[in-house]
Amino acid sequence: MATKTEIRRQELRDKLILIAERTIAQKGLSALRARDLANEAGCAVGAIYNVFGDLTDLTLAVNARTFHRLGADVAEALADAPDDPVEQLVVMAQAYHQFAAQNHLSWRALFDIERAPGEAAPDWYLQEMGRLFVYISDPLAVIFPNRDAEELALLTRALFSSVHGIVLLGLDEASAGVSSENIDRMIALILRQFAANPE
Amino acid sequence: MATKTEIRRQELRDKLILIAERTIAQKGLSALRARDLANEAGCAVGAIYNVFGDLTDLTLAVNARTFHRLGADVAEALADAPDDPVEQLVVMAQAYHQFAAQNHLSWRALFDIERAPGEAAPDWYLQEMGRLFVYISDPLAVIFPNRDAEELALLTRALFSSVHGIVLLGLDEASAGVSSENIDRMIALILRQFAANPE
DNA sequence: TCTATCATTGAACTGCGTTCATTGAGATGA
DNA sequence: TCATCTCAATGAACGCAGTTCAATGATAGA
């Protein structure tokens, strides 16, 4: 039962996510304000807390969508990639870069979110992460056929982290950012040099 | 002139930096509070603003010290490193990791600080960064004698960013952190594999 | 239609960084 | 030494966040 109420709550939930998504994309996570949100959604500030525990919960909902779009972009790039496993890694990493560049503030919100100490990341986060890792470990297994599963898992994580670091510091304008072209060159340099002459 | 006052201001400045440094190291940047600071320093809240423009300025002063300690640690590790340039890279990267792990919250504060959009990083930041980059580019030039200066600069930045990414995600407990030993293994994997068989 | 229930509301609360009128200490000249 | 001026130090008050909760109003069942 309680259909009327439940429908309204669901609609408010969706509306808030869309507004928060737009706000974060355009002005960044730090511009997300409860009162502005309520204004735009045409509801009371308190209503937000009927639907989300707090603003962090709302941000997590936005981040889930962002992460999902990111995963889809990488998957699409992989689908169009050549057969060569090294090139697949390069294409995916550059797709990751492109997504981060074109959705900079939303992408930053994935990592800038305040997390209670000791609390684990939500399930969807680990799942999307795992999805990305599989994209990486598959070509890696072809490139390094002699490494065991544990080493491959470590390599996978290491490569993802490396590309993430290159994109993160490259897009950080404050510390003398790097041109988009040079970020792609760094990614290609690292991955090609890394995958050259496997044992 | 104004000796009495200037001395007091300098003493307060130093005292505030020490207190903020301890607070950040023990409880993180987000636990830095103006009123607590004033309490511990035995001064009024307003006094903080006679000495620092705002709390971000104070945090920058703490970060400058942290960054300097980081540079010193890496330099010390390099001094004790073997002659082999690849091993030098590994030793430095693991020193970077060790510093980040042992000074986790202080190290996070280096990057978590809120920066006004469009504002460049302060000079000391770029200088310390450049210092770290020289440590990396020197061994790289030995490993890759055929690359020109621009490529070496890109490689340097790429390697630093990669190691930074590995440490950053590895130390992030929320996303299923990695053991200290495995972080070192990832660093060694990436760097050794990267430097193997240069053209 | 009436009423008990529960969702919704927004003023109020808390806690933060920052400001500024007031206070008081220190420097200067007689 | 004392009077006076200058400017540093003070902390109550301000503005602005997120969040709460007593009062209100809508909903659903009889």
Side-chain angles (χ1 to χ4, degrees):
Chain A
M1 294 305 136
T3 45
K4 259 304 197 3
T5 293
E6 275 180 8
I7 287 173
R8 198 170 30 195
R9 281 170 75 102
Q10 188 57 48
E11 282 175 355
L12 180 60
R13 204 186 141 82
D14 293 347
K15 198 193 282 188
L16 286 173
I17 290 177
L18 285 177
I19 294 171
E21 195 167 34
R22 186 162 47 74
T23 304
I24 291 174
Q26 289 176 356
K27 304 183 196 168
L29 180 56
S30 63
L32 200 67
R33 235 135 280 187
R35 283 167 182 80
D36 295 351
L37 222 42
N39 257 342
E40 285 198 63
C43 70
V45 275
I48 297 172
Y49 295 87
N50 294 334
V51 173
F52 293 99
D54 54 24
L55 289 194
T56 298
D57 280 0
L58 171 54
T59 303
L60 281 174
V62 172
N63 280 354
R65 289 166 59 99
T66 303
F67 215 150
H68 201 75
R69 285 194 295 127
L70 168 60
D73 276 19
V74 171
E76 195 182 339
L78 181 59
D80 298 341
D83 277 345
D84 179 51
V86 178
E87 285 317 297
Q88 288 174 350
L89 289 180
V90 172
V91 163
M92 281 191 293
Q94 290 178 349
Y96 184 80
H97 163 218
Q98 195 179 0
F99 182 91
Q102 289 180 351
N103 306 271
H104 195 176
L105 295 175
S106 302
W107 177 74
R108 291 275 338 182
L110 291 177
F111 310 100
D112 287 349
I113 194 167
E114 191 123 355
R115 278 171 303 197
E119 190 167 351
D123 257 3
W124 58 261
Y125 179 88
L126 299 176
Q127 280 180 10
E128 291 283 351
M129 205 72 177
R131 199 171 144 207
L132 286 181
F133 277 14
V134 171
Y135 295 153
I136 300 173
S137 66
D138 283 353
L140 271 186
V142 178
I143 300 171
F144 298 98
N146 294 327
R147 308 260 179 156
D148 63 31
E150 197 227 343
E151 262 183 322
L152 276 179
L154 223 57
L155 275 178
T156 299
R157 192 176 255 277
L159 273 194
F160 175 84
S161 302
S162 297
V163 172
H164 176 75
I166 290 171
V167 173
L168 185 73
L169 297 186
L171 291 181
D172 183 22
E173 303 163 17
S175 59
V178 182
S179 75
S180 179
E181 190 195 329
N182 274 338
I183 294 177
D184 274 346
R185 284 178 67 196
M186 285 195 281
I187 290 172
L189 265 172
I190 288 280
L191 291 179
R192 294 222 175 87
Q193 181 66 33
F194 178 80
N197 312 98
E199 70 197 33
Chain B
M1 293 302 141
T3 44
K4 260 295 193 18
T5 292
E6 274 180 10
I7 287 173
R8 196 169 33 192
R9 280 171 74 101
Q10 188 58 47
E11 280 176 356
L12 180 60
R13 204 186 141 83
D14 293 346
K15 198 193 282 186
L16 286 173
I17 290 177
L18 285 178
I19 294 170
E21 195 167 35
R22 184 163 46 74
T23 303
I24 290 174
Q26 289 175 358
K27 305 183 195 167
L29 180 55
S30 64
L32 199 66
R33 236 135 283 193
R35 284 167 182 79
D36 294 352
L37 222 43
N39 256 341
E40 285 199 63
C43 69
V45 273
I48 298 171
Y49 296 87
N50 293 335
V51 173
F52 292 100
D54 54 25
L55 288 194
T56 298
D57 281 0
L58 171 54
T59 304
L60 281 174
V62 172
N63 279 355
R65 290 167 57 99
T66 303
F67 215 148
H68 200 77
R69 283 195 294 129
L70 167 60
D73 275 19
V74 171
E76 194 182 340
L78 180 58
D80 298 341
D83 278 344
D84 179 52
V86 177
E87 285 316 297
Q88 287 174 351
L89 289 178
V90 172
V91 163
M92 281 192 292
Q94 290 179 348
Y96 184 79
H97 163 219
Q98 194 177 2
F99 182 90
Q102 290 180 351
N103 305 271
H104 195 176
L105 294 175
S106 302
W107 177 74
R108 291 276 336 183
L110 292 177
F111 310 100
D112 287 349
I113 193 166
E114 189 123 356
R115 277 170 305 195
E119 193 168 348
D123 256 3
W124 58 260
Y125 178 88
L126 299 176
Q127 279 180 11
E128 292 283 351
M129 205 71 178
R131 199 173 144 205
L132 286 181
F133 277 15
V134 171
Y135 294 153
I136 300 173
S137 64
D138 282 353
L140 271 185
V142 178
I143 300 171
F144 298 99
N146 295 326
R147 307 262 179 157
D148 64 31
E150 196 227 345
E151 263 184 319
L152 276 180
L154 223 56
L155 275 178
T156 300
R157 192 176 256 276
L159 273 194
F160 175 83
S161 303
S162 297
V163 171
H164 177 74
I166 290 172
V167 173
L168 185 74
L169 297 186
L171 290 182
D172 183 20
E173 302 162 19
S175 58
V178 182
S179 74
S180 178
E181 188 195 332
N182 274 338
I183 294 177
D184 273 346
R185 284 178 67 197
M186 286 195 281
I187 290 172
L189 266 172
I190 288 280
L191 292 179
R192 295 221 175 85
Q193 183 65 31
F194 178 80
N197 310 98
E199 69 198 33

